[in-house]
Amino acid sequence: MNQPSLPHALYRADQARALDRAACLQPELSGRELMERAARAAQRLVAARWPQARRICVLVGGGNNGGDGYALARLLRRAGREVRVLSLVAPERLRHEAAEACRDWRAVGGAIEPWRGGLPEDAELLVDALLGIGLERPLREHWAEAVRALNAHPAPVLALDLPTGLHADRGAVLGEVVRASATISFIVLKQGLLTGVGPGCCGRLHWDSLGVAEGLLTAAPVSARRIDWASQCACLGVRRRDAHKGQCGHVLVIGGAPGMSGAARLAGEAALRAGAGLVTIATHPTHAALLNLTRPELMVRGVEHGGDLGSLLARADLVAIGPGLGRDAWGRGLWQRVLECRLPLVVDADALNLLAEQPLRRDDWVLTPHPGEAGRLLGCGTAAVEADRFAALAALRQKYGGVLVLKGAGTLVGGADETPPAVCSDGNPGMATAGAGDVLTGVVAALIGQGMDAGEAARAGVCLHAAAGDRAARAGERGMIAGDIIEAVRALADGRENHHA
């Protein structure tokens, strides 16, 4: 989970460059001063995280990112560290601020070694100052070689502004990518750091505004917004003392074909733990009598076909459909019947696969695809979705309407309006486990049932689910199961705890 002091505004590379230019026009600021401030911010981070690292190797490129590296090397040397600078760009090719930073490094006796394909074995910290936010093409030749060398070395890696090889906008790998231990982003956070492979490449994410005026930053348009449970928990508030179950939503979960009853059960229990007043599960008759043996609070009905759903739909406030639904005649019949009702829908799993076969638009649903399901909904492969998650989210919104939740590292949420998409910064890789998506379905449905609109419920539900995963991960990420996430949902969804946090 990223540190809570990160800003919520996220930007594309072109927006970040425009802000950088605007900042240089402010009194007492210049490109060179910003470079020095970036170096000082990075030096403070090195002092805090790696105080014992004496031998540091800085890899520099040819632009401002390389200039940041030269400036940092000079400050580290002044602080008594042994610093080696390896350059992939000849110093005489440097321009403007980067050239000045290089001259200052040489002025204090710093040497510049050309890249020869290897890193010093005794280095205790490596600094990635190779390429910044302007990279658009896959890394090749010695650039790719340098990235591979950084990843193979046992020392930790600090990336300046952005890990080399990561696309600043898309969070995708451009050929090769640095797997940093930490990344410090300057002035603004780039949206690609928080989704796709970004979280796995940047390590612990830090940020420094470099003293750029807050008014300048807040006035600039953003491309996306970071969300987390700390920013969303107030949506729940504290439950009224005179509340009753009829005011907290009746969720109808539809799913659980033979052999897949657990998915519906997980969604139903998660809905209860997230505060739903009533939960009914409509499932296949072969296991209906067994589904709630250890959770009697769930009401369970066996249904043979879509026609059996009439009375259940009449009593429900909304429907969550898809967990364990299957794509045989039974599941298809239930899906077609649900499409005839006008209740709000949360659509997941096989319901999404059935939707992909016969696409349609609605404004009253929340779709929660993982990248594979998103690819089927868009008629492309999973790799195409992951190559540009923001573009995939926009295409899903355009084609299917409603609210879209594109799951994965840095889950994206796109509302029904034209507001910037949201990126969840909570969560951890332990949540890559069977049934975690079913839990999210139940959580989002429960929040809609308690009165949130679909977009608000999707944003809060994604963050509640992710934060519950982080709480469950205190016992270890590897081996976490979906039930562990459900157990953590209850404590976080309690408005009293959030109110006093």
Side-chain angles (χ1 to χ4, degrees), residues 27-113:
E28 300 182 1
L29 266 184
S30 65
R32 186 72 182 92
E33 173 62 21
L34 285 176
M35 188 170 287
E36 285 297 307
R37 292 185 183 187
R40 290 196 292 271
Q43 183 193 27
R44 289 192 294 270
L45 180 56
V46 170
R49 287 204 53 167
W50 300 285
Q52 304 304 319
R54 306 309 305 167
R55 294 180 292 276
I56 300 174
C57 181
V58 182
L59 272 72
V60 296
N64 282 348
N65 199 245
D68 293 341
Y70 281 113
L72 174 60
R74 189 188 80 253
L75 295 180
L76 291 172
R77 179 185 174 96
R78 182 185 298 167
R81 315 269 187 145
E82 298 176 26
V83 184
R84 291 179 63 179
V85 172
L86 305 184
S87 178
L88 277 77
V89 175
E92 57 269 19
R93 292 175 53 195
L94 299 177
R95 297 289 181 270
H96 310 302
E97 292 88 356
E100 295 176 24
C102 178
R103 286 195 295 269
D104 290 347
W105 163 245
R106 282 176 156 167
V108 299
I112 302 172
E113 304 174 46

Side-chain angles (χ1 to χ4, degrees), residues 331-461:
R332 291 176 184 275
L334 299 184
W335 170 242
Q336 291 301 321
R337 176 63 183 88
V338 166
L339 289 178
E340 297 171 2
C341 81
R342 301 317 303 171
L343 292 174
L345 306 179
V346 181
V347 184
D348 188 28
D350 277 325
L352 292 170
N353 293 324
L354 293 173
L355 176 61
E357 294 177 10
Q358 293 183 303
L360 60 94
R361 257 184 85 91
R362 286 179 63 153
D363 295 326
D364 59 349
W365 58 17
V366 178
L367 308 184
T368 63
H370 58 55
E373 292 159 346
R376 288 187 282 277
L377 288 166
L378 293 174
C380 64
T382 302
V385 171
E386 291 292 75
D388 193 338
R389 288 169 56 81
F390 287 97
L393 182 77
L396 288 165
R397 291 172 66 185
Q398 177 67 30
K399 185 172 183 179
Y400 293 98
V403 176
L404 267 297
V405 175
L406 180 54
K407 295 184 288 195
T411 291
L412 305 183
V413 182
D417 54 21
E418 295 304 315
T419 58
V423 187
C424 179
S425 59
D426 289 335
N428 64 83
M431 300 176 72
T433 184
D438 304 316
V439 174
L440 176 61
T441 297
V443 169
V444 173
L447 298 184
I448 294 174
Q450 292 170 81
M452 292 188 187
D453 65 48
E456 185 180 40
R459 290 186 292 272

Side-chain angles (χ1 to χ4, degrees), residues 163-190:
T164 294
L166 179 70
H167 196 283
D169 296 350
R170 298 190 273 115
V173 175
L174 293 173
E176 302 276 353
V177 66
V178 168
R179 300 279 176 175
S181 306
T183 298
I184 181 166
S185 186
F186 302 127
I187 303 181
V188 295
L189 277 185
K190 293 75 185 174

Side-chain angles (χ1 to χ4, degrees), residues 151-214:
N151 290 337
H153 200 284
V157 178
L158 169 62
L160 301 186
D161 208 28
L162 193 80
T164 294
L166 179 70
H167 196 283
D169 296 350
R170 298 190 273 115
V173 175
L174 293 173
E176 302 276 353
V177 66
V178 168
R179 300 279 176 175
S181 306
T183 298
I184 181 166
S185 186
F186 302 127
I187 303 181
V188 295
L189 277 185
K190 293 75 185 174
Q191 64 180 31
L193 288 166
L194 292 166
T195 195
V197 301
C201 293
C202 69
R204 180 72 170 175
L205 183 57
H206 302 262
W207 165 77
D208 197 293
S209 70
L210 306 187
V212 173
E214 184 177 351

Side-chain angles (χ1 to χ4, degrees), residues 229 233-234 236-238 464 491-501:
W229 183 234
C233 63
L236 272 72
V238 179
L464 171 56
L492 291 169
D494 183 1
R496 291 176 298 171
E497 177 173 315
N498 299 325
H499 184 71
H500 295 295

